[in-house]
């Protein structure tokens, strides 16, 4: 009896592990299939999500480009390239960003060239010819309009004003140009008048050189038609320009000379058109090289002449 029990116990003990192993491998296979399936699903889902996200990022770029929202476009391009360095649209994004920034640098250099209005107009013509459908075309046309109006006002001739109106019939300055046509006419200024007008221009640039806000404002009229290429500026705008001129560590100097004064007939009182040369000298602090620019200027002043 004892031997039979041992034999039975031995048989039972040897058959149970086999069933367990078979069940173990079955469950392992099922579990592996579930896990692998889950991983595959997760990878596919992640891939689909990435593609959609990249497409959304690129859609933002194209939307800002179509709306000419240039600052937002620049930021959207940076964001896309940061996330999708090797994305489907990466090459197009880099090309677009380079073009945007090159055009922006070109346009900003023109806009910052405040002294020489005529040169800035020529630079704008070249920009618009090179980039007929450029990002900054609308801004360039507006700036070109204002600068050409300034040149027409400075010329104070019927031909210059009529030519401006022909080129810009719908300009926001058209009404002012028509008003200026009514005031066209010049005659020689007396020696005293020429001296007073010239001294006013000279004092103006000396005040700017000395960072003399009070002296600068004293040389300005209450109503200013244009200044450094900007139509209808306020005194505050010209003070801001003086502050911009003195930015940086370079030593800068302005000298006005070679004045040509003409008296202008005007229903509101006598005005004086002053043509002059303006020399800008820059002595950089970190080099021994001196930079000199010879510029042309025009001022129209209303002066009180004592009898």
């Amino acid at each position: 009896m004892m031997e039979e029990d041992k034999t039975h116990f031995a048989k039972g003990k040897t058959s149970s592990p086999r069933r367990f192993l078979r069940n173990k491998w079955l469950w392992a296979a099922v579990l592996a299939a579930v896990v692998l399936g889950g991983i595959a699903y997760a990878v596919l889902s992640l891939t689909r999500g990435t593609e959609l996200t990249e497409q959304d990022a690129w859609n933002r770029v194209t939307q800002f480009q179509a709306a000419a929202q240039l600052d937002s476009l620049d930021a959207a391009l940076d964001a896309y390239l940061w996330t999708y360095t090797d994305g489907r649209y990466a090459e197009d994004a880099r090309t677009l960003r380079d073009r945007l920034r090159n055009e922006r640098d070109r346009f900003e250099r023109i806009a910052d060239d405040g002294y020489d209005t005529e040169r800035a107009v020529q630079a704008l013509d070249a920009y618009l010819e090179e980039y007929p459908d450029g990002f900054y075309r609308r801004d360039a046309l507006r700036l070109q309009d204002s600068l050409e109006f300034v040149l027409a006002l400075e010329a104070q001739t019927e031909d210059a004003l009529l030519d401006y109106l022909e080129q810009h019939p719908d300009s926001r300055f058209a009404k002012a140009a028509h008003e200026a046509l009514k005031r066209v006419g010049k005659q020689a200024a007396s020696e005293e008048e020429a001296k007073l007008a010239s001294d006013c221009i000279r004092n103006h640039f000396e005040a700017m050189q000395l960072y003399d806000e009070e002296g600068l404002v004293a040389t300005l009229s209450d109503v200013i038609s244009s200044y450094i290429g900007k139509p209808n500026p306020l005194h505050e705008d010209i003070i801001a320009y003086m502050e911009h001129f003195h930015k940086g560590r370079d030593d800068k100097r302005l000298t006005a000379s070679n004045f040509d004064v003409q008296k202008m007939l005007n229903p509101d009182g006598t005005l004086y058109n002053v043509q002059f040369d303006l020399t800008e000298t820059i002595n950089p602090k970190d080099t021994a090289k001196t930079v000199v620019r010879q510029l042309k200027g025009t001022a129209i002043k209303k002066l009180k002449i004592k009898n």
Side-chain angles (χ1 to χ4, degrees):
M1 182 70 181
M2 292 293 295
E3 292 298 326
E4 289 180 3
D5 287 344
K6 286 182 181 179
T7 303
H8 180 73
F9 181 77
K11 287 180 180 179
K13 198 168 184 179
T14 55
S15 62
S16 179
R18 287 175 185 163
R19 287 197 303 271
F20 174 78
L21 286 174
R22 283 199 300 270
N23 293 338
K24 174 183 171 183
W25 287 113
L26 176 62
W27 284 109
V30 172
L31 182 61
V34 171
V35 170
L36 289 174
I39 292 174
Y41 178 80
V43 170
L44 290 174
S45 298
L46 182 61
T47 303
R48 286 197 296 270
T50 301
E51 288 177 351
L52 289 173
T53 302
E54 180 180 359
Q55 188 62 56
D56 289 343
W58 182 249
N59 287 343
R60 291 182 72 244
V61 169
T62 58
Q63 288 167 6
F64 288 136
Q65 182 180 5
Q69 296 176 326
L70 302 183
D71 289 340
S72 297
L73 173 60
D74 195 10
L77 285 165
D78 274 343
Y80 174 87
L81 288 169
W82 176 264
T83 308
Y84 306 103
T85 307
D86 299 316
R88 279 186 293 170
Y89 307 102
E91 185 176 350
D92 291 339
R94 291 188 185 92
T95 300
L96 186 61
R97 185 176 63 177
D98 290 345
R99 177 188 159 200
L100 172 64
R101 292 181 178 179
N102 287 339
E103 282 194 40
R104 180 178 61 201
D105 291 344
R106 174 85 171 272
F107 178 71
E108 287 179 350
R109 283 197 301 272
I110 297 172
D112 288 342
D113 191 7
Y115 283 132
D116 198 329
T117 305
E118 188 170 355
R119 185 173 64 185
V121 168
Q122 293 171 355
L124 283 169
D125 287 339
Y127 170 84
L128 289 167
E129 183 176 353
E130 185 173 351
Y131 302 104
D133 299 315
F135 291 108
Y136 292 88
R137 173 179 172 79
R138 182 173 58 185
D139 294 332
L141 289 172
R142 286 178 61 84
L143 180 58
Q144 183 187 54
D145 179 13
S146 65
L147 293 178
E148 290 185 353
F149 174 61
V150 168
L151 290 176
L153 278 181
E154 291 175 348
Q156 283 295 310
T157 66
E158 184 177 10
D159 287 344
L161 290 164
L162 288 174
D163 183 61
Y164 168 78
L165 287 169
E166 182 179 352
Q167 297 296 322
H168 305 276
D170 300 320
S171 167
R172 62 192 187 281
F173 305 115
K175 182 178 179 181
H178 283 293
E179 291 295 325
L181 274 172
K182 302 174 184 178
R183 304 192 297 266
V184 170
K186 296 181 182 179
Q187 65 183 49
S190 68
E191 185 176 343
E192 181 186 8
E193 290 170 329
K195 183 178 185 308
L196 285 170
S198 301
D199 285 347
C200 181
I201 305 305
R202 188 181 292 109
N203 292 339
H204 175 80
F205 288 105
E206 286 181 357
M208 179 173 289
Q209 176 66 46
L210 296 172
Y211 213 125
D212 179 4
E213 180 178 325
E214 185 176 343
L216 187 75
V217 173
T219 63
L220 299 172
S221 301
D222 292 334
V223 178
I224 305 170
S225 59
S226 65
Y227 189 93
I228 311 295
K230 180 174 183 178
N232 307 317
L234 302 174
H235 288 180
E236 290 79 2
D237 297 320
I238 298 174
I239 292 171
Y241 180 81
M242 178 177 67
E243 293 172 349
H244 177 75
F245 175 78
H246 284 283
K247 278 185 177 179
R249 301 187 305 113
D250 297 341
D251 179 29
K252 300 178 182 179
R253 297 185 179 278
L254 291 171
T255 306
S257 60
N258 300 328
F259 300 96
D260 178 20
V261 182
Q262 296 287 327
K263 184 186 295 186
M264 299 167 54
L265 305 179
N266 189 294
D268 301 325
T270 302
L271 300 177
Y272 296 86
N273 183 297
V274 186
Q275 304 282 336
F276 59 94
D277 294 334
L278 185 65
T279 303
E280 180 187 29
T281 307
I282 304 175
N283 293 305
K285 295 292 186 182
D286 52 352
T287 68
K289 184 178 181 181
T290 298
V291 179
V292 178
R293 288 204 302 168
Q294 298 292 341
L295 309 161
K296 294 290 185 181
T298 300
I300 301 171
K301 288 293 296 181
K302 185 174 183 179
L303 302 173
K304 294 182 179 178
I305 306 296
K306 295 180 179 179
N307 297 321

